[in-house]
Amino acid sequence: MTASMNHPKLLTVITTHVNADFDALASMLAAQKLYPGALVVFPSAPEKNIRNFFINSIGYLLNMTDINTIDLADVRRLVLVDTNQSGRIGKFVDLLKKPDVDVHIYDHHPVSAGDIKAHHAVCRSTGATVTILLDLIKERGIDISADEATIMGLGIYEDTGSFTYPSTTTHDFNAAAYLLSKGANLVTLTNLISREIRSDEIKLLNDMIRSVRRIDINGAEIALTRITRNDYVSDFAFLVQKMIKIERLDAIFAIALMGSKIYIIARSQIPQVDVGKIVKVLGGGGHTYAAAASIKNRTLAQIEDKLINILYQEVKPKIIASKLMSSPPIISNADVTCRQAAELMTRSNINALLVTEKADKRNQSDKLLGYITRQVIDKALYHKLGGLPVREYTNTESVSVEPDAALSEIRDKIIENKQRVLPVVVSDKTGQKIIGVVTRTDLLNVLASDTEETARDMHPALNGSVHARTKNIINFIRERLSPEMFRLLEHLGQVADQIHCNCFLVGGFVRDLLLYRPNQDIDIVVEGDGIEFARQYARLAGARVHAHNKFKTAVIIFPDNFKIDIASARVEYYQFPAALPTVEMSSIKQDLYRRDFTINTLIIQLNSEHFGRMIDFYSAHRDIKAKSIRVLHNFSLVEDPTRVFRAIRFEQRFDFEIGKLTHGLIKNAVKNNFFKELSGRRIFSELQLILEEENPLPAILRLNDYRLLEIIHPELKLTSNMMRLMNSAKKVLAWFDLLFLEESYMKWAVYFMVLIKSCDKPTVATICDRLELAQRMQILFGRGRFKADRCLWQMEQNQMIINSALHELLADFKTEQILYMMAASGKQKMKKAISYYFTNLRYVKLAVKGRDIKKTGVPPGPVYQKILKATLNAKLDGLLKTAHDERTFIQEYVTKLNLNPNKQIGKEHA
């Protein structure tokens, strides 16, 4: 140790609790970084492994002084770390009585009555005290070395059980990540934290296990064990931790008589048993999940009796579903109307109602279908759907619990599933019987009666300010995007900073980023005036803006025609099913709630301070991982039925699955014909997007499964022949794309012609009118398609078709019609003929022109077209190879027609 025998006056001393552990040591080192020049002093001898490590490895890092060399009268500031109890700081307790000594405390243990009164205190609920100090070190920009990072890491790893203890927080993970970035040595950490148990320790551990006594207190099983040893066992806490893992204990109190002193080590894995609070009564300290005490002048029997009495006073009754639930439950049959359900909820003064349906078999209990909320019922009434049965809007993706379910299970199911009411069920030979319900209010009331700290430990979603999951993915964004795109996003965030508004990247771009799919469609939402933001950015970027004041949106258009869509955060409401939305300003969370599916609600903040922070309000990341398509609320498809088509398109594109609730809502939308108010243009737009997918057949199959093709026309049904033609079209289009002809065509139109192939002329006309197709499209799908069918029939009747005849048959057709014919033909010979036309005949041109005919003496007129056509046919049939051949053919053809040429075409070129 480094000891200074000549201390300056007016000292600052950093100390910790007796029997210091790694977190205490790490915290003293961290505090020394905050208090340069302070002396570091153990109040008593540290634990053996701490002492050995300190002597052998890191003594040089601390300004360490022996407590016996310090005159307490010289101390003017006392810095306490990893403790806030006067009974655990040895002789330094005398300094607490001196008015001229400033006391500073940094601690992660729960605040309680009797704690030291400090002039400055930073106490937070973290897994380790050094985590708190590291936050301050980072805030002040103080650098640390690799060795210092390793020591501080030991404190975190030990006190969090290598991040396995329930007391571990996100702050501990972040602190460990920071230490690793500073060079913390994981090999050293592993060697010290995860060491092998020695042979003498195995014997002691065996004694502890054999002497264990298990008692049940208020539903919590608590293990008590006691041992006697002549000498102090330095690694007693290490063995207790081993025992709790081996025996899989919820809580343990280990009492050891070592020499003349009794030591207690307590560990808990359930918040019901707060070992810190219990051990504090015995003069010790700690937090909810780990605590220790040392006691003099008492026998083992006295301590054990006193401990058991304290346990009965302090261990809270175990809260299980049967004790928390309301019973009997208020239940509605699935066939009750929404209006009747509303009356039942009003009479019963409840906000959520369980819904059941008749069992499949006789003598069985009614089956739990799900639940419906007052908010959903109110929307049904608003949309004049009060006469529909509640089954149509029941949330069928609900979960339940059994009567003995613990509070943690109740909490997790209500929070993770965003469930307003949780059924409590028992199972027997007749099925499941609902015996009660636990509401979200019931859960919050229980947690509110607990300490703030326990509630915070239980789940972050119950901590007031937490409304979304967040994650910084800046490195992922940099890896996935081009440098130019990354800089563009940074610039957008900087402009948002300038006009003091929040700016977010939203929608499909974020979704596809996580799915590793290319997407160049940038959508930005601004909390504020999106149009003003667009104009400000465009001025700086040399772009122009096209604004839509009605919808508070704008498009930024760059000189190279690259576009960025800008929207003001808004909320939409619909005056009736399928209506266009009315728009009002809102926050980003409200804006996201109006979107179609959860997977499209992820956002990434672009403001400089939080650039790259991904925010997830509606469990979008979970649904992406689960490959699930889910709507955000039960009336999503009522308000905008086109979302049904989008759900199917996304399901097939991403190989996802439509969620159970969303599946039921789609069937409800079809059954109640919410599509009747949709304009044909909107239906066509969604159908066109489906047909433009790489392989639209699976989506067409799903449209047929949901009877959505009937929305377009009742006679439009998917047959086995149509499926065969769809597959044929897919192969034909793939072949055509591989020709790389650089010819644009409407891929979707080919599939659409296949879709309506079995329809007669009046039906096709009706479909075109329903979809409000443009006149040119109506001609293509009407007269144009039937003309293509006649041409194909004619070709299939001829065994042999020469090139010129094939060219004449197909030359007047559009690319889409020819590809349709190729797909529709059931004869391989016809497919080959059409493919030959594309690759060898379609783009054949003559070298000669009208002027070459004029030189033969034939006066201009309609005959020129006849001559050129004859020449082209001869060339297509392989009779003409060169321009000279073409001129010779013209000369001979003119002579054959007896047009009396005045001169021969070839003379000038002789």
Side-chain angles (χ1 to χ4, degrees):
M1 295 186 183
T2 58
S4 174
M5 301 301 294
N6 299 310
H7 304 305
K9 295 294 183 181
L10 306 180
L11 299 176
T12 293
V13 169
I14 300 169
T15 191
T16 185
H17 55 80
V18 295
N19 300 321
D21 54 14
F22 278 132
D23 187 31
L25 174 65
S27 299
M28 289 196 292
L29 176 60
Q32 184 179 273
K33 305 294 288 186
L34 298 172
Y35 296 89
L39 298 179
V40 177
V41 185
F42 282 116
S44 65
E47 287 194 14
K48 183 179 177 182
N49 60 331
I50 299 294
R51 184 171 62 252
N52 291 343
F53 174 70
F54 177 79
I55 293 171
N56 296 331
S57 305
I58 54 87
Y60 72 95
L61 293 173
L62 290 169
N63 187 19
M64 181 62 65
T65 299
D66 190 291
I67 189 171
N68 296 316
T69 68
I70 296 177
D71 185 349
L72 296 183
D74 296 335
V75 178
R76 288 295 177 269
R77 182 191 291 147
L78 179 65
V79 180
L80 299 175
V81 295
D82 201 32
T83 185
N84 57 11
Q85 295 178 18
S86 58
R88 303 193 71 204
I89 60 174
K91 63 188 290 186
F92 286 115
V93 69
D94 295 336
L95 293 176
L96 303 179
K97 304 170 187 175
K98 300 179 63 175
D100 58 343
V101 175
D102 279 348
V103 178
H104 294 194
I105 294 177
Y106 301 89
D107 190 29
H108 73 131
H109 296 101
V111 176
S112 60
D115 286 348
I116 296 171
K117 298 292 187 291
H119 300 87
H120 172 73
V122 181
C123 299
R124 292 205 312 264
S125 181
T126 56
T129 297
V130 71
T131 296
I132 300 169
L133 292 155
L134 274 168
D135 283 345
L136 298 173
I137 287 172
K138 287 189 286 183
E139 282 177 15
R140 300 181 190 180
I142 300 172
D143 194 27
I144 61 175
S145 67
D147 285 346
E148 290 170 331
T150 301
I151 297 168
M152 295 179 195
L154 281 170
I156 296 175
Y157 275 73
E158 181 187 56
D159 253 33
T160 63
S162 297
F163 307 106
T164 62
Y165 294 168
S167 55
T168 308
T169 68
T170 55
H171 296 287
D172 299 299
F173 281 102
N174 292 334
Y178 170 73
L179 294 174
L180 288 175
S181 74
K182 289 296 183 179
N185 190 321
L186 286 177
V187 175
T188 301
L189 291 174
T190 302
N191 289 340
L192 281 156
I193 298 298
S194 304
R195 68 173 181 81
E196 293 295 324
I197 188 168
R198 299 191 307 269
S199 58
D200 60 315
E201 291 174 332
I202 292 175
K203 183 178 182 303
L204 178 56
L205 180 59
N206 186 51
D207 291 344
M208 292 165 61
I209 293 173
R210 282 191 301 178
S211 68
V212 74
R213 171 187 173 194
R214 298 171 191 261
I215 56 176
D216 187 294
I217 301 178
N218 289 329
E221 186 179 67
I222 300 171
L224 296 177
T225 185
R226 66 181 193 177
I227 59 169
T228 302
R229 287 293 182 271
N230 293 328
D231 300 319
Y232 176 71
V233 179
S234 61
D235 291 323
F236 187 39
F238 168 75
L239 296 177
V240 172
Q241 195 60 45
K242 284 286 185 184
M243 183 173 171
I244 201 170
K245 289 180 179 179
I246 293 170
E247 296 293 298
R248 297 182 180 180
L249 303 173
D250 286 338
I252 182 173
F253 290 81
I255 311 169
L257 174 60
M258 302 180 192
S260 60
K261 206 170 185 180
I262 292 176
Y263 297 87
I264 298 176
I265 300 293
R267 296 289 184 267
S268 172
Q269 300 195 90
I270 53 175
Q272 186 184 357
V273 181
D274 185 342
V275 294
K277 188 174 181 181
I278 293 165
V279 169
K280 187 173 183 180
V281 180
L282 296 170
H287 51 75
T288 304
Y289 302 103
S294 57
I295 306 165
K296 296 180 180 178
N297 304 319
R298 291 289 189 275
T299 66
L300 277 175
Q302 287 176 317
I303 295 301
E304 185 172 349
D305 287 344
K306 185 173 183 180
L307 174 59
I308 291 173
N309 288 332
I310 297 168
L311 288 172
Y312 275 105
Q313 294 171 18
E314 298 294 341
V315 174
K316 303 163 188 173
K318 187 175 183 180
I319 298 175
I320 57 176
S322 60
K323 294 182 179 179
L324 185 58
M325 70 184 187
S326 301
S327 183
I330 299 170
I331 297 173
S332 169
N333 183 272
D335 295 320
V336 164
T337 67
C338 292
R339 189 175 295 108
Q340 291 170 326
E343 293 170 358
L344 175 59
M345 294 171 85
T346 300
R347 282 199 312 272
S348 306
N349 193 29
I350 57 174
N351 292 314
L353 183 65
L354 296 183
V355 179
T356 61
E357 62 181 353
K358 289 293 183 184
D360 298 330
K361 298 179 181 179
R362 295 178 62 186
N363 303 321
Q364 284 197 332
S365 304
D366 287 353
K367 289 194 307 183
L368 175 65
L369 183 63
Y371 72 95
I372 192 165
T373 65
R374 182 179 292 277
Q375 183 183 27
V376 171
I377 290 290
D378 288 346
K379 279 201 171 187
L381 299 180
Y382 175 80
H383 287 291
K384 298 181 172 55
L385 302 173
L388 292 180
V390 291
R391 71 163 65 248
E392 304 294 352
Y393 300 108
T394 294
N395 187 335
T396 56
E397 295 182 332
S398 62
V399 294
S400 60
V401 292
E402 294 188 344
D404 60 351
L407 182 62
S408 58
E409 181 183 353
I410 296 169
R411 172 203 69 210
D412 291 343
K413 285 188 172 179
I414 286 179
I415 292 173
E416 294 301 326
N417 295 284
K418 295 182 170 64
Q419 199 159 317
R420 297 289 296 270
V421 61
L422 186 66
V424 182
V425 301
V426 292
S427 301
D428 57 27
K429 60 183 179 181
T430 65
Q432 284 190 332
K433 182 180 179 182
I434 306 168
I435 63 170
V437 293
V438 178
T439 67
R440 194 163 61 183
T441 302
D442 293 332
L443 175 64
L444 291 172
N445 285 338
V446 169
L447 300 180
S449 66
D450 208 335
T451 64
E452 178 185 354
E453 172 191 354
T454 302
R456 183 167 57 246
D457 286 342
M458 293 187 74
H459 202 286
L462 297 173
N463 192 351
S465 62
V466 178
H467 300 287
R469 294 174 175 85
T470 63
K471 182 180 181 180
N472 193 300
I473 60 168
I474 185 170
N475 292 331
F476 178 73
I477 297 171
R478 186 180 283 111
E479 173 190 318
R480 291 279 293 115
L481 301 183
S482 66
E484 295 77 17
M485 182 68 76
F486 189 85
R487 285 194 294 271
L488 185 147
L489 297 180
E490 283 186 313
H491 192 202
L492 287 165
Q494 291 161 5
V495 172
D497 292 339
Q498 292 172 14
I499 63 173
H500 308 292
C501 69
N502 289 322
C503 170
F504 305 91
L505 182 64
V506 303
F509 188 95
V510 182
R511 175 201 67 217
D512 289 346
L513 193 71
L514 296 180
L515 290 173
Y516 290 85
R517 297 175 65 92
N519 191 332
Q520 295 297 308
D521 297 329
I522 295 182
D523 291 306
I524 301 295
V525 169
V526 175
E527 281 187 323
D529 191 334
I531 294 176
E532 175 56 31
F533 170 81
R535 287 172 176 157
Q536 176 76 1
Y537 181 84
R539 280 194 294 270
L540 297 172
R544 55 194 175 90
V545 172
H546 184 59
H548 303 272
N549 289 307
K550 179 181 177 181
F551 292 102
K552 299 179 175 63
T553 62
V555 180
I556 300 173
I557 306 169
F558 290 81
D560 61 358
N561 214 36
F562 180 75
K563 297 176 183 178
I564 299 176
D565 291 320
I566 308 294
S568 308
R570 64 190 194 268
V571 61
E572 297 174 350
Y573 64 90
Y574 297 75
Q575 296 181 336
F576 53 86
L580 287 173
T582 302
V583 178
E584 295 179 350
M585 298 293 283
S586 77
S587 69
I588 186 65
K589 184 178 180 182
Q590 289 174 299
D591 178 87
L592 295 173
Y593 190 68
R594 71 182 176 82
R595 294 179 181 265
D596 48 12
F597 309 110
T598 58
I599 62 170
N600 292 327
T601 62
L602 280 174
I603 59 175
I604 297 174
Q605 190 160 5
L606 300 181
N607 299 79
S608 301
E609 185 177 355
H610 300 293
F611 184 83
R613 181 174 67 169
M614 184 173 73
I615 305 172
D616 184 2
F617 286 101
Y618 300 108
S619 301
H621 201 204
R622 180 194 67 183
D623 286 343
I624 287 175
K625 286 184 174 180
K627 305 183 77 172
S628 183
I629 305 291
R630 301 177 192 273
V631 293
L632 275 83
H633 57 86
N634 292 32
F635 278 81
S636 177
L637 305 184
V638 176
E639 296 175 342
D640 185 0
T642 62
R643 289 169 176 168
V644 172
F645 295 92
R646 254 170 284 158
I648 291 171
R649 176 158 53 92
F650 290 148
E651 178 190 47
Q652 300 307 317
R653 180 194 294 177
F654 304 132
D655 191 25
F656 279 22
E657 184 177 351
I658 292 174
K660 182 180 176 182
L661 172 62
T662 306
H663 167 76
L665 293 174
I666 291 175
K667 294 176 71 175
N668 170 64
V670 174
K671 185 173 75 174
N672 291 287
N673 197 15
F674 293 139
F675 303 88
K676 64 184 178 183
E677 301 293 341
L678 279 175
S679 68
R681 189 174 291 105
R682 293 185 70 194
I683 293 176
F684 169 68
S685 176
E686 293 296 335
L687 181 62
Q688 181 181 355
L689 288 170
I690 286 175
L691 296 178
E692 284 177 346
E693 290 289 311
E694 184 177 345
N695 179 18
L697 180 57
I700 296 297
L701 284 167
R702 287 293 266 167
L703 289 175
N704 189 67
D705 290 343
Y706 285 118
R707 299 176 58 190
L708 286 165
L709 293 177
E710 298 175 29
I711 300 298
I712 302 171
H713 194 278
E715 294 184 16
L716 198 58
K717 291 182 173 62
L718 188 64
T719 63
S720 57
N721 186 54
M722 186 191 293
M723 290 174 60
R724 180 186 64 80
L725 293 179
M726 279 283 181
N727 274 316
S728 178
K730 179 189 172 188
K731 293 175 183 177
V732 166
L733 296 176
W735 164 83
F736 184 72
D737 289 340
L738 289 174
L739 294 179
F740 298 106
L741 297 178
E742 297 184 0
E743 176 182 344
S744 63
Y745 73 102
M746 296 179 294
K747 176 181 177 181
W748 67 268
V750 180
Y751 284 118
F752 189 74
M753 283 188 277
V754 170
L755 200 62
I756 61 174
K757 186 180 189 318
S758 62
C759 299
D760 58 20
K761 287 184 179 180
T763 302
V764 171
T766 302
I767 290 172
C768 289
D769 287 340
R770 171 70 178 102
L771 299 180
E772 301 178 28
L773 298 183
Q775 185 65 28
R776 64 185 183 89
M777 290 299 164
Q778 294 195 33
I779 293 172
L780 174 64
F781 299 134
R783 293 200 304 267
R785 202 213 87 215
F786 286 107
K787 181 182 175 183
D789 283 337
R790 286 194 301 272
C791 177
L792 181 61
W793 180 86
Q794 183 181 348
M795 290 172 62
E796 290 178 342
Q797 303 313 303
N798 295 296
Q799 294 298 319
M800 294 293 293
I801 305 177
I802 63 173
N803 290 351
S804 56
L806 181 63
H807 186 276
E808 185 166 351
L809 283 169
L810 299 178
D812 292 336
F813 286 105
K814 296 180 180 297
T815 300
E816 294 83 4
Q817 292 168 298
I818 301 171
L819 292 171
Y820 160 73
M821 285 189 280
M822 191 173 175
S825 177
K827 296 184 178 180
Q828 196 63 27
K829 181 181 176 182
M830 286 301 101
K831 293 181 185 291
K832 287 183 177 180
I834 297 172
S835 69
Y836 184 79
Y837 167 77
F838 265 120
T839 55
N840 294 280
L841 305 180
R842 193 180 192 200
Y843 303 103
V844 171
K845 304 293 182 186
L846 289 173
V848 296
K849 307 292 182 184
R851 62 177 178 270
D852 295 305
I853 301 175
K854 190 175 183 181
K855 291 173 184 176
T856 67
V858 178
V863 72
Y864 274 36
Q865 185 175 358
K866 184 177 181 180
I867 295 169
L868 288 172
K869 184 177 181 181
T871 308
L872 178 60
N873 285 343
K875 185 171 185 177
L876 289 168
D877 292 335
L879 302 176
L880 309 177
K881 302 296 185 183
T882 66
H884 176 73
D885 293 342
E886 294 176 21
R887 287 190 291 271
T888 301
F889 177 85
I890 290 173
Q891 180 67 56
E892 291 173 354
Y893 190 77
V894 167
T895 301
K896 181 180 177 181
L897 291 179
N898 197 23
L899 296 176
N900 297 318
N902 295 323
K903 54 184 177 180
Q904 293 187 354
I905 190 169
K907 285 185 177 179
E908 292 181 13
H909 305 282

